[in-house]
Amino acid sequence: MSTFAASHLSPSYPDRAAWGTAPKLRAWQQEAFDLYFRREPRDFLTVATPGAGKTTYALRIASELLSRGVIRAVTIVTPTEHLKRQWADAAGRVGLGIDPEFKNSQGTTSRDYTGVAVTYAQVAMHPALHRARTEARKTLVIFDEIHHAGDAKSWGDGVREAFEPAARRLQLTGTPFRSDDNPIPFVGYEEDAEGFKRSVADYSYGYGPALDDGVVRPVIFLAYSGEMKWRTRAGDELAATLGTPLTKDQLSQAWRAALDPKGDWIRQVMQAADRRLTEVRRGVTDAGGLVIATDHETARAYARHLRNITGEGATVVLSDDPGASKKIKQFAASQDRWLVAVRMVSEGVDIPRLCVGVYATSTSTPLFFAQAVGRFVRARKRGETASVFLPSVPMLMGLANEMEVERDHVLNKRPPEDGLDDSLLEQANRKQDNPDVLGDELPFETMETSATFDRVLFDGGEFGTGAEIGSAEEEDFLGLPGLLEPDQVATLLRKRQSDQQAAKRKQASAEPAAQTLAPHEQIAELRRELNGLVGAWNHRTGQPHGVIHAELRRVCGGPPIAQATAEQIQERIDMIRRWATQRR
């Protein structure tokens, strides 16, 4: 049974808690810590949203077990080389010596160290060595982002063989869900009502509770649509409007054109993101921005755009750069505005001052999206907000709307919905030198792209009525204060939308004749009506917007709201109106 942080405990806000140096545990950390030592388990799975402070919590458990003599050594297993060093740095600040440079070839490490940090791939290459080390001394194994142990059969088998003899095993993850059927080692599964095997956490602390506690920042998603024109390999010239109903091929090609650094769309969106960063810096003086790019060539081109926009150079971190860890560390400690990374999400871009992001990659799996957004949610003090800019793509909009929905790893489930396959995560994070190929017609030549402001997504609701780049309507949202509590964000967004709608109604009343709404305008109006009703239901019941949307989707059927037809949205509107008259 999962346990949530007690509402009567107020979290602490140590200045550097994100690095594992908190002198005092947060409410959820203390509660999970107490539960752990009440149970004294051999295996314990902790699911906590990115940015909540899993490192601090795990190192406190390790220190306590060492002081009690339950263990004599610690092994930390991470997805990447960079995270090995990050864990070692955090452990050193609380008095634990961890060797991040341990190699399989050396077999042992210095007596100065309490343990080692290794990668899942490193364990899979020589599980017998790590088993022998685990058997030699009573060992606590900390698995960082344990879901990575299911990335490949060899990884899972290696982890099981190496750490089966461990005295204690502590599994950590912020995103436990996967779409494949590879069971995660040392994770328990129980059969659900539909007969599927579902992972069971010993302690869970999701984004919703963390937001309520002020442990993570509220995330404002700013979506941009626009006109795209491109020429296919066959010589055909095509055009599409991002944010309107498109076929799968049209969407993938329009999306690719939008992200092309040769076009204006990405430049205009980065300009908007930089204006947002300037506003955020009025309250968070060291706030930084991150552009998540798809490949090396594009990342360098984005950095050139940022230099032209800001007059400052941007730090570029590439996945195969041997100096990547050093660059990340330097950027984290600096006042520089922008970092551009080639995906590098599971590679551990962990910089608490990141407040603004541009999602400029074609990857759309839920796991990758959750990890990407997780780069921006670490709260250092109350009131900090995160802003993530993204293209108006239905898959991304749906994921943004459902951020608060809890997920578990399910075995033997039905095939995933189109676009929701997390098995591509490893591919999405590996070294990428060349642009992605998103369709049969590619590669193609981008001819012309331009951006328009579409809407804001926050807490499962949608705000804004669409606007041109640089308009007063867009500035209403870009100019939101950088220091706001979640309820203040919602209040201001509703006020901005109400003012804009009133202005449009006034303008429409002055026009001689009303025109029939185009299909995309009709859908936008229905979405706004539904989101207004969801907001009212949220105030009545206290349920998060994302949970209400998920329940409406479960009852009525159909895809996420970003992909729903006008008829499907109307059905959900009718359903929530029935709830309002029937439920108490």
Side-chain angles (χ1 to χ4, degrees):
M1 186 77 174
S2 297
T3 309
F4 291 90
S7 59
H8 64 279
L9 293 173
S10 59
S12 60
Y13 298 94
D15 289 341
R16 299 179 64 83
W19 291 273
T21 61
K24 177 182 175 185
L25 291 180
R26 289 169 170 161
W28 83 264
Q29 294 166 334
Q30 187 65 57
E31 194 164 67
F33 179 91
D34 292 342
L35 179 64
Y36 181 91
F37 284 101
R38 282 200 305 271
R39 292 184 181 178
E40 293 286 347
R42 188 179 182 199
D43 288 294
F44 194 88
L45 172 61
T46 302
V47 177
T49 189
K54 292 185 290 293
T55 302
T56 298
Y57 156 76
L59 292 174
R60 185 62 61 88
I61 285 180
S63 297
E64 185 67 18
L65 289 174
L66 285 164
S67 68
R68 295 185 184 189
V70 176
I71 60 167
R72 296 180 57 204
V74 178
T75 297
I76 300 168
V77 190
T78 75
T80 66
E81 291 290 328
H82 172 70
L83 282 174
K84 286 166 49 176
R85 298 178 184 90
Q86 189 168 288
W87 271 92
D89 289 345
R93 283 188 283 268
V94 294
L96 293 179
I98 298 294
D99 181 5
E101 306 297 336
F102 176 80
K103 301 291 190 297
N104 287 350
S105 58
Q106 67 190 70
T108 60
T109 189
S110 167
R111 292 181 182 178
D112 291 338
Y113 293 115
T114 305
V116 300
V118 295
T119 64
Y120 288 101
Q122 192 176 344
V123 172
M125 290 175 63
H126 202 334
L129 165 68
H130 296 279
R131 184 184 183 95
R133 295 190 70 259
T134 304
E135 290 175 330
R137 293 195 295 173
K138 291 187 295 184
T139 300
L140 165 68
V141 183
I142 299 173
F143 296 100
D144 186 22
E145 303 297 352
I146 183 64
H147 57 268
H148 281 281
D151 280 350
K153 190 174 186 299
S154 62
W155 283 25
D157 290 345
V159 164
R160 282 192 188 87
E161 180 183 346
F163 302 118
E164 190 280 327
R168 295 288 178 92
R169 292 181 291 254
L170 178 61
Q171 297 95 355
L172 308 173
T173 182
T175 47
F177 53 98
R178 302 179 56 83
S179 66
D180 56 42
D181 279 348
N182 292 335
I184 302 171
F186 310 125
V187 168
Y189 292 85
E190 289 182 358
E191 192 170 293
D192 63 16
E194 296 180 328
F196 299 120
K197 296 282 190 179
R198 187 175 295 273
S199 63
V200 179
D202 296 286
Y203 186 93
S204 292
Y205 187 61
Y207 176 78
L211 187 62
D212 291 341
D213 286 347
V215 169
V216 294
R217 298 171 180 147
V219 181
I220 305 167
F221 293 97
L222 297 100
Y224 280 73
S225 55
E227 299 291 330
M228 311 297 151
K229 295 181 182 179
W230 65 93
R231 182 182 291 113
T232 69
R233 184 170 52 189
D236 298 326
E237 294 185 4
L238 302 176
T241 301
L242 203 63
T244 61
L246 300 172
T247 67
K248 184 177 178 180
D249 285 345
Q250 287 173 330
L251 175 61
S252 65
Q253 294 176 25
W255 189 355
R256 169 72 184 279
L259 300 183
D260 191 334
K262 299 184 185 70
D264 285 337
W265 187 94
I266 188 64
R267 180 184 56 79
Q268 291 170 335
V269 170
M270 285 195 291
Q271 273 185 323
D274 190 66
R275 293 203 302 275
R276 177 66 187 147
L277 180 59
T278 296
E279 183 61 44
V280 171
R281 281 192 164 210
R282 298 183 195 278
V284 185
T285 56
D286 67 339
L290 167 65
V291 179
I292 301 175
T294 295
D295 60 81
H296 292 188
E297 179 184 341
T298 303
R300 295 186 181 99
Y302 289 169
R304 290 192 291 272
H305 279 322
L306 287 168
R307 176 178 283 279
N308 292 333
I309 292 167
T310 67
E312 302 176 12
T315 299
V316 179
V317 177
L318 306 178
S319 50
D320 63 342
D321 182 354
S325 292
K326 183 178 180 181
K327 286 183 178 179
I328 290 171
K329 201 169 182 178
Q330 288 175 339
F331 182 85
S334 74
Q335 297 275 327
D336 295 348
R337 291 179 75 88
W338 284 99
L339 172 71
V340 183
V342 177
R343 289 160 170 165
M344 289 290 288
V345 173
S346 66
E347 275 78 358
V349 175
D350 191 9
I351 305 166
R353 71 182 186 90
L354 289 177
C355 293
V356 177
V358 179
Y359 194 90
T361 173
S362 57
T363 305
S364 60
T365 71
L367 184 52
F368 186 92
F369 186 84
Q371 290 180 334
V373 174
R375 300 316 98 198
F376 306 98
V377 300
R378 288 194 182 278
R380 298 174 299 174
K381 61 181 178 180
R382 291 204 73 106
E384 291 183 346
T385 61
S387 304
V388 177
F389 290 69
L390 71 169
S392 292
V393 172
M395 289 174 284
L396 299 183
M397 307 289 272
L399 293 172
N401 267 320
E402 297 181 358
M403 250 193 81
E404 295 173 346
V405 178
E406 301 296 327
R407 295 177 174 89
D408 297 304
H409 184 210
V410 183
L411 300 180
N412 305 314
K413 62 180 177 292
R414 301 180 188 92
E417 295 180 43
D418 187 33
L420 300 181
D421 184 1
D422 297 322
S423 63
L424 298 177
L425 180 69
E426 184 182 1
Q427 176 185 344
N429 283 294
R430 71 191 181 195
K431 173 185 174 181
Q432 186 90 2
D433 295 305
N434 301 309
D436 286 342
V437 175
L438 296 180
D440 294 335
E441 299 289 341
L442 304 181
F444 65 81
E445 177 188 358
T446 300
M447 298 175 61
E448 183 180 345
T449 67
S450 62
T452 55
F453 173 73
D454 187 359
R455 56 191 183 273
V456 168
L457 297 91
F458 177 73
D459 193 25
E462 297 184 5
F463 307 87
T465 56
E468 295 300 316
I469 293 290
S471 65
E473 290 85 355
E474 182 198 26
E475 289 299 328
D476 275 348
F477 294 105
L478 294 181
L480 288 169
L483 284 173
L484 288 172
E485 295 291 336
D487 58 337
Q488 293 174 320
V489 174
T491 299
L492 269 178
L493 288 173
R494 284 194 293 269
K495 174 87 165 51
R496 296 282 198 272
Q497 176 161 293
S498 176
D499 291 347
Q500 290 185 10
Q501 288 175 331
K504 289 203 170 188
R505 283 194 298 270
K506 184 177 180 181
Q507 180 182 357
S509 65
E511 294 176 355
Q515 297 182 346
T516 303
L517 291 177
H520 72 278
E521 293 174 319
Q522 181 187 9
I523 287 176
E525 286 296 326
L526 288 169
R527 281 176 178 162
R528 280 189 279 273
E529 182 179 357
L530 176 59
N531 284 315
L533 292 168
V534 167
W537 191 251
N538 160 263
H539 287 296
R540 177 172 169 178
T541 66
Q543 289 181 295
H545 289 239
V547 172
I548 300 169
H549 277 291
E551 177 64 11
L552 284 169
R553 183 182 172 194
R554 187 190 69 78
V555 172
C556 299
I561 187 173
Q563 298 167 292
T565 64
E567 182 180 356
Q568 290 168 329
I569 299 172
Q570 184 63 56
E571 185 179 358
R572 296 177 198 184
I573 290 171
D574 296 340
M575 177 60 66
I576 197 169
R577 288 189 186 280
R578 285 199 294 273
W579 288 357
T581 59
Q582 296 171 2
R583 296 188 182 184
R584 299 296 177 209

